[in-house]
Amino acid sequence: MYNKITIIGNLGTDPEMRYMPSGDAVTGFSVATNRRYRTRDGEQRDETEWFRVNAWGRLAETTNQYLQKGRLVYVEGSLSSRSWVGQDGQTRFSNEIRAQEVKFLSGSGDTGGFGAGAAGPDGPPAGDDEDDLPW
């Protein structure tokens, strides 16, 4: 079986780096992707899809150091979807990507000067459970 997703979007939050009990770094951030389309009636609409991204190891450290809210990024990894019931009784959904590669597509101030940034094959270390993430 094969689970791979590629997205290009803007960071909706600044990255947050944490350390697992084992000492391994994990950085989480959200990315918004946008799609513009026309309805049958000719009305133009915008649709935004949000993804939660987790980067591990060296990739976690690099993304935490260089990314910030608003930056355009390319993210490649595996997708997992979760649902849960919130305190208000409503069912919530989350699309989460375990990043295997992150490329910085815009520099600070959107100058484009940063070019391709971090890339790495680091995944979560064996034995660490995603459910133990601190957020």
Side-chain angles (χ1 to χ4, degrees):
M1 296 198 183
Y2 193 67
N3 177 353
K4 183 175 183 177
I5 184 170
T6 302
I7 63 169
I8 295 175
N10 294 93
L11 264 70
T13 59
D14 286 331
E16 295 179 22
M17 188 165 76
R18 304 277 193 264
Y19 290 92
M20 300 299 291
S22 63
D24 295 310
V26 59
T27 296
F29 52 92
S30 63
V31 176
T33 60
N34 299 305
R35 179 174 81 101
R36 179 169 284 173
Y37 65 95
R38 290 197 182 272
T39 65
R40 291 183 185 197
D41 298 331
E43 180 183 347
Q44 187 168 306
R45 292 200 180 157
D46 291 317
E47 182 178 272
T48 301
E49 187 76 34
W50 286 93
F51 296 88
R52 182 80 183 149
V53 179
N54 293 309
W56 295 82
R58 184 169 180 220
L59 185 58
E61 294 168 356
T62 305
T63 56
N64 184 62
Q65 182 178 358
Y66 293 109
L67 288 180
Q68 62 189 26
K69 182 178 178 177
R71 295 277 304 266
L72 184 65
V73 294
Y74 164 98
V75 177
E76 185 177 299
S78 58
L79 177 68
S80 63
S81 299
R82 288 202 252 185
S83 65
W84 69 96
V85 177
Q87 293 179 353
D88 60 1
Q90 296 292 322
T91 301
R92 309 259 188 242
F93 299 93
S94 174
N95 295 316
E96 298 179 7
I97 298 173
R98 180 183 306 171
Q100 295 164 338
E101 183 175 359
V102 175
K103 292 184 180 180
F104 311 145
L105 300 179
S106 66
S108 32
D110 280 335
T111 62
F114 214 163
D122 293 350
D128 284 336
D129 188 351
E130 286 182 7
D131 293 333
D132 292 337
L133 291 177
W135 57 85

